[in-house]
Amino acid sequence: MSAPVVTARAGAPIAEVARHMEFYGVGCVVVTEEETLPGIVTDRDIAVHAVARGIGGDEPVRTVMTAPVVTIGVEDDIHEAYRTFRRSGVRRLPVVDGSRVVGILTVDDMLMDVFRRALTARAEGPARDHRESGVLRSVSRRPDTAGPGRVTPAAG
């Protein structure tokens, strides 16, 4: 899981959101409006829905964001995360604690977790049962790509 999450308002220009992705080295930005989560925009959304269709960079990101957002709870177990990825077909899941987005879980995070668990099991013997609550808190964490406190409240 990556944290903190880079965010933008739904009215932020597409080009500004793309610049945030480049600056923070992320492939998605969570779209927020006050206390709600109306969408998520990925680098693929910008390429396929904006650039390929000739939508200008001055248009609001809401025109290309994916909505509604598929999320997973911070207390959900890893098996629920796998099921959610398979069911939804998304590659990035905002992790929520109540109504607050606390991180982004990616398919790559899950793959790294599988490798880590396999190596641990090989070195230590049989793995423990990972069906306990809150396993997402321990999924292989990447270094903060956005750095501490660098959440992006883009003007909207």
Side-chain angles (χ1 to χ4, degrees), residues 9-22:
R9 298 199 195 292
I14 295 167
E16 179 182 309
V17 173
R19 284 190 298 273
H20 287 311
M21 287 180 179
E22 178 185 24

Side-chain angles (χ1 to χ4, degrees), residues 6 9-10 12 18-20 26 28 35 42 45 49 63-64 73 80 83-84 87 92 94 98 105 110 114 130 133 137:
V6 180
R9 298 199 195 292
R19 284 190 298 273
H20 287 311
V26 297
C28 74
E35 297 297 316
T42 66
D45 291 329
H49 300 296
T63 61
V64 297
E80 181 61 24
R83 282 190 297 273
T84 303
R87 226 181 12 250
R92 297 172 177 99
L105 184 66
M110 300 298 280
V114 167
H130 293 286
S133 178
R137 292 185 189 275

